[in-house]
Amino acid sequence: MWKVERKITIKVDDKDILVKIYYDNRLKTSWKKQRLIDSVFLRVPPDTSDEEITKRLNTPFYKEWVKQVEKNKKLISKWDNYLEQLEFKLQNRTEEELREIIEKYVAKYEDEFIRPKISIRSINGVWGRCSKTKDKLTFAPDMKYISEEYIEFIVYHEMIHTYCLNHNPPFYRKMAERYPNWKEMESNLRMWEYLLEKNDIITITEK
Ligand SMILES: [Zn+2]
């Protein structure tokens, strides 16, 4: 998870597009397109100029991708309203503090499931993951920013995977036992992601 370093507005097809940039020392010539909701987020080599970025975003390949931001605009005004009602506030925790909270909720549910191994590291655009062997859970470091209520929700979700790897009816029966409102909780997790992105905290998808 890296912080946006620079924001510029670029014209693509006469539309102003907000571009968030991270200058990545590890990149030599290649660029990385990252997720986008309200803006385009790019990882580029450190010496990339604004002109180069403008030129690149105006090529057909990038234009298609950039168009998605325009499409999202309607959605975003809805999300902003909803976010206001939810009154989510980003938390200021260290990764150690996050680990303690995760351990607490794993302990709360381990009698019902198992005691898994826990690791905290960036994973491919998801909050949590369970190993195929069902004995190891990985959690995204970005969880340190969200409320404890939702940390518990994510931990519970992954704990169910230690008993049932797929999102199938038995999985959701187990989910509904503890969270009858799990659908709402899941869509609110999307709102936490959006709030992080609004604050320029963007999970980088490492491949
Ligand atoms: Zn899952």
Side-chain angles (χ1 to χ4, degrees):
M1 158 212 52
W2 300 342
K3 294 274 278 183
V4 169
E5 288 185 330
R6 180 163 158 67
K7 290 188 219 180
I8 52 174
T9 303
I10 280 178
K11 276 219 185 302
V12 178
D13 282 347
D14 279 333
K15 294 213 167 76
D16 289 330
I17 301 289
L18 178 65
V19 182
K20 296 178 179 178
I21 302 161
Y22 184 92
Y23 298 100
D24 188 342
N25 290 321
R26 294 180 307 174
L27 297 178
K28 298 273 185 298
T29 53
S30 67
W31 293 29
K32 302 276 181 218
K33 299 190 295 178
Q34 302 295 341
R35 40 184 302 209
L36 72 177
I37 299 179
D38 66 336
S39 58
V40 169
F41 182 54
L42 282 174
R43 261 200 299 159
V44 299
D47 52 356
T48 310
S49 69
D50 290 359
E51 288 71 33
E52 279 176 79
I53 294 171
T54 305
K55 208 171 142 196
R56 186 79 73 105
L57 289 182
N58 275 290
T59 60
F61 178 69
Y62 274 86
K63 261 189 201 169
E64 267 319 298
W65 185 62
V66 169
K67 269 187 201 155
Q68 193 61 43
V69 174
E70 278 298 306
K71 281 192 198 149
N72 284 349
K73 278 193 174 146
K74 258 194 202 141
L75 202 65
I76 283 163
S77 66
K78 263 193 216 158
W79 284 7
D80 283 335
N81 287 334
Y82 188 46
L83 204 52
E84 220 165 282
Q85 291 167 34
L86 289 170
E87 296 180 339
F88 282 171
K89 298 248 158 28
L90 291 186
Q91 309 293 304
N92 190 14
R93 296 188 194 93
T94 64
E95 212 165 294
E96 253 337 284
E97 288 167 326
L98 169 64
R99 183 178 291 275
E100 281 168 26
I101 296 170
I102 289 173
E103 294 285 352
K104 180 171 90 181
Y105 289 111
V106 166
K108 179 174 173 181
Y109 295 114
E110 69 183 17
D111 289 346
E112 202 177 330
F113 302 101
I114 59 154
R115 170 84 216 179
K117 284 185 229 96
I118 303 297
S119 82
I120 297 175
R121 63 180 169 77
S122 287
I123 23 182
N124 218 338
V126 291
W127 291 105
R129 166 167 298 162
C130 178
S131 65
K132 284 204 175 70
T133 46
K134 296 186 181 179
D135 58 352
K136 190 182 166 196
L137 304 183
T138 306
F139 295 99
D142 283 359
M143 283 168 69
K144 69 184 181 188
Y145 296 110
I146 75 175
S147 69
E148 199 166 319
E149 182 188 4
Y150 285 85
I151 295 176
E152 178 176 2
F153 179 67
I154 294 166
V155 170
Y156 186 75
H157 179 117
E158 297 310 323
M159 287 296 273
I160 303 175
H161 281 316
T162 66
Y163 137 90
C164 172
L165 210 47
N166 297 315
H167 296 144
N168 54 16
F171 176 93
Y172 287 110
R173 271 198 292 279
K174 206 73 194 154
M175 178 58 89
E177 276 177 24
R178 168 69 183 82
Y179 289 101
N181 63 336
W182 64 268
K183 275 190 187 158
E184 189 191 338
M185 295 287 289
E186 260 180 20
S187 67
N188 290 352
L189 261 184
R190 192 79 190 86
M191 289 296 118
W192 278 111
E193 279 174 43
Y194 177 52
L195 183 60
L196 287 179
E197 177 159 338
K198 273 170 81 84
N199 283 275
D200 296 338
I201 302 163
I202 300 177
T203 305
I204 304 286
T205 314
E206 296 285 359
K207 284 197 177 120

